[in-house]
Amino acid sequence: MATTSHLLESLLASLTPGRITVLVILLTIVSYAIDSTKKPTYPKSIPRVGYYGGIRATVRNWMNLSNYHNWMEEGYNKYGKHGRSFVTPASPSQPDEIVVPQEQVAWMLEQPETVLNTQEPHEAILFSAYNFFGIDDHFPIKVMHKHLARNLVTLLPDIQEEVADSIDLAFGTDDTENWKTLNLWEALLVIVPRVMNRLAVGLPLCRNQAFLSSQVAFADDVFRNCLILTLFPTVLHPIVGRLVTLPNRYHFHQGYQLLKPIIEQRLLDFERFESGESSTPPQESIITWLIRQAKADNLPSEQTPYMIAQRLLPIEFAAIHTTVITLHALFLDLLASPPKENYLEIIREETSSVLQSEPNGIWTKHGLARLYRTDSAIRESMRLSTFSTGLTHRKVVAKDGITNPFEGWHAPYGSILMANMSVQHDGEIFENPQKYDALRFSRVREEFEARAEAEKGDTEEALRIKRLGLVTTSSEHLPFSHGRHACPGRFFVAHEVKMMLAHTLQNYDLKPIANKPPPTWVAHTIIPALDVKIEVRRRSKD
């Protein structure tokens, strides 16, 4: 025992700060070396951007995380817009990505899941095994596809009510004389979680601040952890992943304690309704849809409060932060536009006019669809102010890989293919692409409708114009991804953002800002300018 104790003391004494630092560096280098042997090797015929070729290149890419979006733009301008694929560095823990040109996006999306898989790269990007406790989002995505569109129309009055109440809470209602300064990001975090949870869990929980704070904190955890884990080699993820996601578990259990009785009551409401004991159907919400689909699929394991609460996690994450980022950019794009453009007043007049024609002043699907200029302003902001370099990824899961029929290169198993959002900034597709033109898409739609009234409409042209709407995805409009796996929640997002913009402009004045503060890019994702403040004032009803 004495010998063992002596050896332990000697070992501890030898671990000086300098030696520990060297050991950590060596462990990191070895880990990256192990990682590099597991990553797919791409043909040399595909051009590269960024740094490539071994551990040294990985380190240089790691030290240039703020440059990734510039490399994507460079690759698009050099190769992508000329019909060529190129390879861009991914985060250190991920394989490099083959970025296919716009003309090949359709080919990529048409491949069966047994060849190019959608879910695996999605889970890898979000580190779902750690952030979401290994619970995949297949079932909630299926639920959203099957139930959101068919129920959204009847829920519009509830959403409109929550939009109005949450905006008034964040912006204030008392003072119509003085300007109020507020942090835009913090204000949106008051508004968006409440509106989203009116759909997800319903009243009264959607207004419980402790519950909302737990959901926002969990979404923050996921975003932060993704940034951390991208910097670590995958061989260290089993250790690092479990450590950095401890806050996730804490915030989930915080919310679960408040959510559990709501889910239990909803399950009981189902039982009573199905047995005929009650004639009142359960309150419609995402919780209800999860239960309904689990019953339809005969999945008892999906009908426990704990599992239902876990199934809400990826929905909450996706719906909260992406919507807040979208609105943050939208308000800044509008406020930083030249005063002569008068965008705020144009949207205010359109939303006010259409709402006045709605029955009882309640938004309908038809009324929201008539907001061409509002729709265009949102779509244009999403075109210009992208929050990622790419949202459409596929992983090669065919054991023999896949061969590109256009260029001839072969991507082996494990390769990542993606569509490039830089197409949204292409001057050959969009005139003056770096300028925010809120009416860019509505102008075309209005001109077509004016022509259509005077002459026989062109069916093909009508279809093309219809595809300029906010929720319609294409190889040129990728904020909601594209193809059969496009975001199923985009219809809700479109409705809620239009309602938010309408209520804000009808009830508040917003002071213009001189310039739009730029975001910070970290790898393939932005961090918005979180300290931006805006000035608002309640409009007088006189």
Side-chain angles (χ1 to χ4, degrees):
M1 289 291 295
T3 303
T4 303
S5 176
H6 179 71
L7 287 173
L8 182 60
E9 289 177 4
S10 300
L11 178 62
L12 291 175
S14 68
L15 292 177
T16 63
R19 288 175 177 174
I20 292 174
T21 301
V22 171
L23 284 173
V24 170
I25 293 173
L26 287 174
L27 176 63
T28 302
I29 292 173
V30 170
S31 299
Y32 278 130
I34 294 172
D35 257 15
S36 65
T37 64
K38 297 180 179 180
K39 292 180 180 180
T41 302
Y42 299 142
K44 294 182 179 180
S45 60
I46 309 178
R48 266 78 167 166
V49 294
Y51 302 105
Y52 56 92
I55 296 176
R56 182 182 178 188
T58 299
V59 173
R60 295 181 74 182
N61 288 327
W62 184 87
M63 295 175 64
N64 286 272
L65 289 175
S66 62
N67 248 344
Y68 277 43
H69 71 294
N70 290 326
W71 291 335
M72 290 291 285
E73 293 279 351
E74 174 192 344
Y76 178 80
N77 289 319
K78 278 187 178 180
Y79 310 110
K81 67 184 302 179
H82 303 297
R84 291 195 66 188
S85 302
F86 63 94
V87 175
T88 184
S91 305
S93 65
Q94 306 286 349
D96 291 346
E97 297 163 334
I98 300 176
V99 186
V100 301
Q102 181 192 357
E103 301 92 328
Q104 298 177 24
V105 169
W107 161 78
M108 181 180 81
L109 300 181
E110 288 168 0
Q111 300 303 310
E113 289 292 311
T114 53
V115 177
L116 292 182
N117 185 269
T118 306
Q119 204 64 32
E120 289 192 27
H122 175 71
E123 292 175 355
I125 290 169
L126 292 178
F127 300 96
S128 298
Y130 305 105
N131 276 320
F132 298 103
F133 322 133
I135 303 295
D136 62 57
D137 60 1
H138 298 183
F139 188 71
I141 287 175
K142 177 181 179 179
V143 168
M144 296 297 282
H145 274 297
K146 284 184 172 289
H147 297 275
L148 178 60
R150 69 178 63 171
N151 289 288
L152 188 54
V153 172
T154 59
L155 291 173
L156 288 179
D158 293 347
I159 297 168
Q160 182 176 350
E161 178 185 62
E162 208 60 46
V163 165
D165 287 353
S166 60
I167 290 176
D168 290 348
L169 175 66
F171 288 5
T173 59
D174 298 333
D175 195 345
T176 60
E177 299 294 330
N178 301 299
W179 291 94
K180 177 181 180 179
T181 302
L182 50 84
N183 180 289
L184 178 58
W185 182 263
E186 293 174 0
L188 293 173
L189 281 177
V190 172
I191 299 165
V192 173
R194 274 187 53 165
V195 176
M196 188 273 153
N197 277 288
R198 184 66 179 264
L199 177 74
V201 303
L203 288 171
L205 191 59
C206 71
R207 296 181 181 178
N208 184 309
Q209 190 52 54
F211 174 73
L212 295 176
S213 295
S214 71
Q215 302 309 296
V216 171
F218 184 90
D220 286 340
D221 294 338
V222 172
F223 188 75
R224 179 197 62 243
N225 296 341
C226 286
L227 293 178
I228 293 173
L229 288 169
T230 57
L231 304 181
F232 281 87
T234 55
V235 295
L236 297 181
H237 283 182
I239 299 173
V240 179
R242 286 175 172 81
L243 289 176
V244 301
T245 55
L246 288 175
N248 298 52
R249 297 182 182 276
Y250 173 72
H251 291 128
F252 167 68
H253 285 287
Q254 269 190 324
Y256 178 63
Q257 297 308 310
L258 298 167
L259 184 57
K260 182 181 178 182
I262 302 298
I263 299 175
E264 290 175 336
Q265 182 62 50
R266 204 67 54 84
L267 286 164
L268 182 60
D269 291 344
F270 256 99
E271 288 181 14
R272 289 174 173 172
F273 183 69
E274 289 181 335
S275 67
E277 182 180 344
S278 171
S279 60
T280 304
Q283 177 185 345
E284 293 295 340
S285 69
I286 296 177
I287 291 176
T288 307
W289 305 340
L290 287 165
I291 298 171
R292 184 176 293 138
Q293 192 61 47
K295 288 181 176 293
D297 293 347
N298 192 26
L299 298 172
S301 63
E302 295 289 344
Q303 299 175 46
T304 67
Y306 196 78
M307 179 57 78
I308 292 169
Q310 286 190 308
R311 290 303 189 192
L312 280 174
L313 290 176
I315 300 174
E316 293 270 2
F317 166 72
I320 290 176
H321 266 29
T322 55
T323 305
V324 170
I325 291 173
T326 297
L327 280 162
H328 193 267
L330 173 62
F331 276 109
L332 295 182
D333 283 329
L334 288 167
L335 294 178
S337 296
K340 66 178 182 179
E341 304 287 4
N342 207 26
Y343 291 146
L344 295 180
E345 190 58 37
I346 288 171
I347 297 171
R348 180 180 288 129
E349 290 177 359
E350 180 186 58
T351 54
S352 177
S353 173
V354 174
L355 187 58
Q356 286 176 13
S357 67
E358 293 280 76
N360 302 315
I362 304 297
W363 285 111
T364 64
K365 179 181 177 181
H366 177 67
L368 291 167
R370 291 168 55 200
L371 299 177
Y372 287 176
R373 295 178 177 182
T374 307
D375 187 282
S376 175
I378 302 167
R379 178 180 168 115
E380 170 69 353
S381 180
M382 296 179 80
R383 178 198 70 79
L384 178 63
S385 303
T386 56
F387 58 81
S388 175
T389 59
L391 296 170
T392 307
H393 297 80
R394 297 292 185 269
K395 179 179 178 179
V396 178
V397 293
K399 294 302 181 182
D400 295 331
I402 187 173
T403 299
N404 181 298
F406 305 94
E407 302 176 70
W409 49 256
H410 183 79
Y413 175 85
S415 303
I416 302 296
L417 276 59
M418 67 174 291
N420 189 351
M421 294 187 75
S422 297
V423 67
Q424 298 184 175
H425 305 148
D426 189 337
E428 295 181 10
I429 299 174
F430 303 101
E431 183 181 354
N432 201 356
Q434 296 303 323
K435 177 183 184 296
Y436 177 73
D437 179 359
L439 307 181
R440 184 185 298 272
F441 302 105
S442 61
R443 191 180 300 117
V444 179
R445 296 175 74 175
E446 290 174 2
E447 289 173 355
F448 172 78
E449 291 199 353
R451 293 199 312 272
E453 289 183 7
E455 56 191 56
K456 186 176 180 180
D458 183 332
T459 304
E460 185 175 335
E461 178 71 1
L463 291 174
R464 187 186 72 82
I465 297 299
K466 187 177 181 180
R467 287 195 286 267
L468 295 178
L470 171 61
V471 297
T472 304
T473 66
S474 71
S475 60
E476 297 174 3
H477 182 62
L478 296 163
F480 294 117
S481 190
H482 185 38
R484 61 184 179 274
H485 294 288
C487 173
R490 65 188 186 277
F491 303 98
F492 170 68
V493 171
H495 289 337
E496 70 167 330
V497 172
K498 288 179 184 179
M499 289 185 193
M500 289 174 181
L501 197 52
H503 183 82
T504 299
L505 296 184
Q506 288 169 32
N507 293 278
Y508 296 89
D509 290 319
L510 287 82
K511 188 175 289 188
I513 59 177
N515 298 291
K516 177 183 176 181
T520 300
W521 281 89
V522 179
H524 294 287
T525 307
I526 68 160
I527 299 176
L530 304 180
D531 58 345
V532 172
K533 291 180 172 58
I534 64 170
E535 294 185 75
V536 302
R537 181 177 61 194
R538 183 76 177 187
R539 290 170 63 84
S540 174
K541 297 299 182 181
D542 298 336

